[in-house]
């Protein structure tokens, strides 16, 4: 009897060792949902592999592939046949870029929570194929995922004048440093700045100086020899704002449709957090449109409290929303400015305190610019 017990113990120990060698994995669950993922895809400049996919046959999975700060991509489960095992936001795989274009290395977590190392190929930017051990004998079979979101836009969606992206920006120094969103100027080959003046506007070339992709903030520098220093800034950067506080923005939304003149909208701070309580953002009732990205969010004193960044996409979350918009907090711009040597942080001047909104705009409009990015 003792020998049988000993034999069983040895077998159990061997099985435990075998499981350990088989790299069984304790899966991680993030706070990501399909709504937060779609919001990210709608507001960020994403890589070709990033998106929402679903299986084309076999076991059903809906997954999201999103770039992580580590440089890898996370594969997150959004929906599946086994909702108890694979909850929304659970990490299903880790993807790394290889030396070959559109071919990736993957650590994929199987249904039994063991890990398999495999490869995947992105075809035509929309079909992701990988080879996974399937069935009783764990034979490798091709499993395909079709990209469902975001929808690929054709080249005809670009402006006929070659402009790929437009946005807004604002001066943070008199000698031509301008703040905007990272997604406006990321990967730009040519950046042009249009600044309003008494004759209409002046156009200058600019270059990227610093970019914070994670927090969607960038600083560019006018490098055109014809540019002359502007007047001292009439505003500073304030890192404090309260819920209910009045705010407004000046920017260049949809300028190919609405025209190239600046537009003003106002509202209040609705919340000190963004989607899924993201502390980097203010939720604002200040209406914004495509092209407002990168513009200044002013408080009633005329100081910068944020950068207008995105609006909540009703289609992305499947619920009709009204006037839900977001601005990245000014603190993240301050962090980037502090990385530039020999530049003073714009300080509040009290120049515009107590003035009516229309009087503040007459002054501030000259420090807000249209940004055009082209190939």
């Amino acid at each position: 009897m003792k020998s049988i017990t000993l034999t069983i113990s040895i077998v159990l120990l061997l099985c435990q060792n075998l499981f350990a060698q088989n790299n069984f994995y304790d899966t991680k669950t993030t706070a990501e949902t399909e709504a937060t993922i779609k919001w990210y895809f709608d507001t960020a400049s994403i890589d070709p592999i990033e998106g929402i996919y679903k299986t084309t046959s076999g076991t059903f999975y809906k997954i999201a592939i999103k770039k992580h700060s580590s440089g890898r991509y996370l594969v997150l489960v959004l929906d599946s046949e086994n909702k108890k095992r694979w909850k929304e936001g659970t990490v299903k795989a880790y993807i790394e870029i290889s030396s070959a274009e559109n071919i990736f290395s993957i650590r994929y977590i199987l249904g039994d929570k063991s890990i398999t190392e495999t490869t995947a190929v992105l075809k035509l930017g929309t079909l992701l194929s990988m080879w996974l051990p399937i069935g009783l004998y764990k034979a490798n079979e091709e499993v395909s995922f079709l990209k469902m979101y975001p929808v690929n836009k054709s080249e005809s969606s670009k402006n006929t004048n070659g402009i790929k992206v437009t946005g807004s920006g604002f001066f943070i120094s008199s000698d031509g440093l301008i703040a905007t969103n990272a997604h406006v100027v990321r990967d730009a080959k040519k950046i042009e700045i249009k600044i309003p003046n008494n004759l209409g506007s002046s156009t200058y070339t600019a270059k990227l100086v610093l970019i914070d992709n994670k927090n969607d903030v960038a600083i560019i520098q006018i490098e055109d020899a014809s540019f002359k220093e502007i007047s001292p800034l009439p505003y500073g950067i304030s890192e404090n704002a309260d819920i209910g506080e009045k705010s407004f923005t000046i920017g260049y939304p949809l300028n190919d449709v609405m025209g190239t003149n600046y537009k003003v909208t106002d509202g209040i701070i609705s919340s000190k957090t963004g989607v899924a309580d993201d502390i980097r953002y203010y939720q604002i009732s200040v209406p914004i449109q495509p092209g407002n990205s990168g513009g200044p969010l002013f408080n009633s004193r005329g100081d910068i409290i944020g950068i207008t960044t995105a609006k909540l996409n009703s289609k992305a979350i499947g619920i009709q929303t009204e006037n839900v918009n977001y601005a990245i907090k000014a603190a993240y711009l301050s962090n980037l400015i502090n990385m530039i040597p020999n530049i003073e942080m714009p300080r509040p001047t009290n120049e515009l305190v107590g003035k009516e909104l229309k009087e503040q705009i007459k002054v501030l409009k000259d420090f807000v610019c249209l940004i055009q990015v082209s190939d």
Side-chain angles (χ1 to χ4, degrees), residues 1-16:
M1 192 69 170
K2 290 184 178 179
S3 62
I4 294 174
T5 303
L6 180 60
T7 302
I8 293 173
S9 299
I10 292 172
V11 170
L12 289 174
L13 181 60
L14 288 172
C15 288
Q16 289 173 359

Side-chain angles (χ1 to χ4, degrees), residues 196-363:
N197 56 39
N198 294 332
L199 300 177
S201 66
S202 299
T203 302
Y204 305 99
T205 57
K207 64 179 180 180
L208 183 62
V209 176
L210 280 175
I211 190 165
D212 178 357
N213 286 311
K214 181 178 180 181
N215 297 310
D216 202 10
V217 181
I219 295 175
I220 57 179
Q221 170 76 64
I222 294 177
E223 57 178 356
D224 204 307
S226 62
F227 174 74
K228 306 299 181 184
E229 284 199 7
I230 60 173
S231 305
L233 304 184
Y235 50 77
I237 294 177
S238 174
E239 297 182 6
N240 297 309
D242 290 325
I243 296 174
E245 184 174 347
K246 291 183 178 180
S247 57
F248 66 95
T249 189
I250 303 173
Y252 293 86
L254 297 170
N255 66 94
D256 55 338
V257 176
M258 298 172 67
T260 57
N261 289 328
Y262 66 88
K263 307 296 187 296
V264 179
T265 54
D266 66 340
I268 62 169
I269 303 293
S270 304
S271 172
K272 286 190 173 184
T273 58
V275 172
D277 292 328
D278 192 330
I279 62 171
R280 296 173 298 171
Y281 295 91
Y282 293 121
Q283 180 183 321
I284 56 176
S285 67
V286 179
I288 59 175
Q289 310 297 333
N292 274 120
S293 292
L297 182 68
F298 296 104
N299 61 16
S300 60
R301 299 170 60 88
D303 290 320
I304 304 288
I305 56 174
I307 302 176
T308 52
T309 301
K311 63 187 299 180
L312 188 63
N313 187 326
S314 297
K315 292 181 180 179
I317 62 173
I319 301 173
Q320 184 63 38
T321 60
E322 296 291 341
N323 201 19
V324 180
N325 311 290
Y326 299 98
I328 192 77
K329 293 177 180 177
Y332 296 93
L333 172 58
S334 298
N335 291 341
L336 210 58
I337 292 174
N338 284 329
M339 297 175 65
I340 302 176
N342 303 320
I343 177 176
E344 288 189 19
M345 185 73 64
R347 304 294 180 188
T349 64
N350 296 327
E351 181 178 334
L352 301 174
V353 174
K355 292 189 176 182
E356 292 186 14
L357 179 59
K358 64 180 181 180
E359 298 301 322
Q360 292 178 332
I361 291 167
K362 287 178 183 179
V363 176

Side-chain angles (χ1 to χ4, degrees), residues 1 9 12 23 25 27 33 68 86 131 141 144 178 195 225-226 246 274 296 310 325 335 347 361:
M1 192 69 170
S9 299
L12 289 174
N23 293 323
Y25 189 76
T27 52
T33 65
H68 188 258
W86 298 106
W131 285 261
E141 294 183 17
S144 296
I178 293 169
I195 304 171
S226 62
K246 291 183 178 180
N325 311 290
N335 291 341
R347 304 294 180 188
I361 291 167

Side-chain angles (χ1 to χ4, degrees), residues 66-74 93-97 214:
K66 180 182 178 183
K67 194 168 188 177
H68 188 258
S69 57
S70 64
R72 298 184 300 175
Y73 299 91
L74 297 183
Y94 299 88
I95 297 179
E96 291 184 273
I97 299 173
K214 181 178 180 181

Side-chain angles (χ1 to χ4, degrees), residues 80-109:
S80 72
E81 289 183 9
N82 192 335
K83 293 180 173 59
K84 290 184 178 179
R85 178 176 291 177
W86 298 106
K87 296 180 180 179
E88 187 177 28
T90 301
V91 178
K92 181 67 172 168
Y94 299 88
I95 297 179
E96 291 184 273
I97 299 173
S98 74
S99 60
E101 186 176 6
N102 293 327
I103 298 179
F104 304 87
S105 173
I106 300 182
R107 299 188 74 211
Y108 190 91
I109 304 168

